[in-house]
Amino acid sequence: MTPLYLLLTFKICLDSHFIMYLAKLKENSRSGLPLHDVERFIFVLHGAVTVTSAHGESHILKVDSYAYFPPNFEHSIESDAPAIIVVFERRYAHLSNHVTEPLVNSTDKQPLLETPGEIFELRKLLPMSLAYDFNIHIMDFQPGEFLNVKEVHYNQHGLLLLEGESIYRLGDSWYPVQAGDVIWMAPFVPQWYAALGKTPTRYLLYKDVNRSPL
Ligand code: UGY
Ligand code: MN
């Protein structure tokens, strides 16, 4: 079998506690495992992959489907045809008496969440319980919509624009962005987004949660 072909589009920045990369799977690919104590989240962007646990449980994930693998959870990601996934990995921040569970699901099965003071549509792909030290948000904006709050927070972000084109403001710089673009936002970077294109936009966003940043 051809080993999983990894294309690093985003690499560890000095202060980043997670990695985010695109994995381009050739036909008949099979993944390796993350490092010890490292959890992994994958989201399918193109094609389909099969995820299998050490117990033999298997799921086929198509575009917009995703899987979470707890630290030290044996699994494989396989594909018999070309596929592209985005992968997030981080060293799990343990919390006594809390453990994460493996899961597979798809974006369209996640409920829309309240966003007081904001108008974008928000879905979270992972449970919000304390065990999880990050979450992945899917955020949808109609043309002309924007973040009401110019945010500044300790959390880090890894963003992948999935659909549309628009403008991202980071600090005092303005960046035109289009589907496929990736942004790393360091802690405390002032951030603001406006969907200024003619079509709806959607982005996927990593955010660390439930742990002290100190
Ligand atoms: O939840 C967030 O921090 C999110 N609203 N940030 C962002 O979209 N840049
Ligand atoms: Mn934010």
Side-chain angles (χ1 to χ4, degrees):
M1 276 194 182
T2 316
L4 186 73
Y5 175 70
L6 300 181
L7 173 67
L8 286 175
T9 56
F10 180 86
K11 68 189 201 59
I12 305 172
C13 300
L14 268 187
D15 295 324
S16 172
H17 62 231
F18 68 99
I19 58 169
M20 172 182 181
Y21 57 90
L22 278 186
K24 292 191 166 182
L25 290 80
K26 293 180 178 170
E27 57 183 28
N28 300 322
S29 301
R30 184 188 165 91
S31 67
L33 287 171
L35 297 175
H36 188 66
D37 278 352
V38 170
E39 58 191 333
R40 173 184 273 171
F41 176 93
I42 67 165
F43 181 96
V44 181
L45 298 171
H46 174 81
V49 299
T50 303
V51 297
T52 308
S53 73
H55 319 298
E57 198 180 313
S58 238
H59 298 270
I60 296 175
L61 303 186
K62 297 188 180 154
V63 173
D64 277 336
S65 297
Y66 60 90
Y68 168 81
F69 307 104
N72 311 319
F73 178 82
E74 270 191 48
H75 65 275
S76 68
I77 306 162
E78 292 173 73
S79 172
D80 50 17
I84 304 178
I85 58 178
V86 57
V87 185
F88 295 85
E89 290 172 2
R90 73 171 278 188
R91 191 165 299 280
Y92 180 61
H94 286 275
L95 199 60
S96 43
N97 303 322
H98 293 273
V99 284
T100 59
E101 300 291 337
L103 63 88
V104 295
N105 216 325
S106 62
T107 306
D108 59 345
K109 294 209 185 97
Q110 302 316 307
L112 284 176
L113 300 173
E114 294 285 318
T115 55
E118 296 283 1
I119 48 175
F120 59 82
E121 290 188 342
L122 172 67
R123 293 175 173 85
K124 295 189 182 183
L125 303 188
L126 292 178
M128 286 181 268
S129 53
L130 273 183
Y132 295 81
D133 59 1
F134 73 93
N135 214 317
I136 301 289
H137 298 185
I138 298 288
M139 294 173 56
D140 286 294
F141 297 78
Q142 295 305 313
E145 291 183 351
F146 51 85
L147 289 178
N148 275 323
V149 176
K150 190 173 118 193
E151 301 174 11
V152 180
H153 48 59
Y154 73 84
N155 319 72
Q156 306 188 6
H157 286 318
L159 180 152
L160 171 63
L161 197 70
L162 295 172
E163 284 169 31
E165 53 186 349
S166 42
I167 293 279
Y168 230 102
R169 180 179 175 186
L170 302 171
D172 288 331
S173 301
W174 301 73
Y175 299 93
V177 287
Q178 59 185 19
D181 286 349
V182 173
I183 303 174
W184 179 60
M185 289 178 238
F188 301 111
V189 167
Q191 51 200 259
W192 185 78
Y193 176 73
L196 297 184
K198 292 195 170 69
T199 54
T201 68
R202 165 175 281 194
Y203 61 74
L204 175 154
L205 187 79
Y206 167 97
K207 183 173 187 175
D208 53 300
V209 293
N210 293 331
R211 299 293 184 275
S212 164
L214 299 175

